[in-house]
């Protein structure tokens, strides 16, 4: 089976996902964002679909700086086998087209929990990623619990769902929030007072980045 491109967001809570791989790329311009995603998809279209690989979702940040790759796999062993075999060739092919991509690294996450707002059934068009770093795993768990509790209470128009992820060693967190559109997100930000932080603040937890993204292209496991 080989991959074909789609324009569908990932189903974050799908039951067969065992591990989630998130890889930010720093590319600096909208032109390089588009070219990097297109080169990635082109490389994938020419290789067999790896065992255990479910989806690849390539997002571009609204500030033109970054590409965010969000991949769903059935488990870690399958992904590690891919890293040893197929990935080096794919990366070389991408770098030949778009040299100079900065790759801070791949983070291996598990989905910790989700807060869904069924009163907003619209399909998301904007994804906001909040990244944090914690001194300890218990501090990261407290952040996750507070983030989900806050999202449940938050009835901001257009906020569809928040999905909280924690990495394997327990000290990195990522909140993946789905918004109906950029206007809803901007209105929510504008409604926050200047003294109110946009995210929960806890001892031993530091905000690393908050960034908005649009999906550019995705790959979903082909049917047999």
């Amino acid at each position: 089976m080989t991959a074909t491109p789609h324009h569908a967001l990932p189903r974050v809570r799908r039951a067969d996902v065992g591990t989630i791989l998130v890889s930010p790329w720093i590319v600096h311009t909208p032109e390089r964002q588009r070219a990097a995603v297109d080169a990635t998809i082109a490389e994938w279209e020419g290789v067999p679909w790896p065992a255990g690989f479910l989806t690849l979702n390539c997002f571009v940040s609204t500030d033109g700086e970054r590409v965010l790759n969000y991949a769903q796999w059935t488990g870690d062993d399958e992904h590690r086998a891919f890293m040893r075999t197929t990935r080096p060739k794919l990366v070389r092919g991408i770098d030949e087209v778009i040299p100079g991509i900065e790759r801070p690294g791949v983070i291996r996450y598990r989905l910790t929990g989700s807060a869904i707002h069924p009163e907003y059934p619209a399909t998301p068009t904007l994804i906001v990623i909040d990244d944090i770093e914690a001194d300890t795993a218990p501090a990261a768990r407290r952040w996750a619990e507070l983030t989900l509790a806050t999202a449940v209470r938050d009835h901001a128009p257009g906020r569809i769902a928040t999905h909280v992820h924690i990495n394997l060693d327990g000290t990195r967190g990522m909140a993946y929030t789905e918004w109906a559109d950029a206007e809803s997100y901007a209105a929510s930000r504008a409604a926050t007072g200047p003294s109110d932080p946009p995210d929960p603040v806890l001892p031993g937890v530091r905000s690393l980045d908050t960034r908005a993204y649009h999906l550019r292209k995705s790959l979903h496991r082909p049917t047999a």
Side-chain angles (χ1 to χ4, degrees), residues 8 41 59 85 88 119 124 155 198:
I41 298 301
F59 295 90
T85 57
E119 64 268 33
H155 296 288

Side-chain angles (χ1 to χ4, degrees), residues 49-69:
W49 196 265
F53 189 23
L54 300 172
T55 71
L56 170 65
N57 308 275
C58 299
F59 295 90
V60 292
S61 62
T62 57
D63 61 8
E65 283 284 322
R66 295 195 179 200
V67 171
L68 187 77
N69 300 291

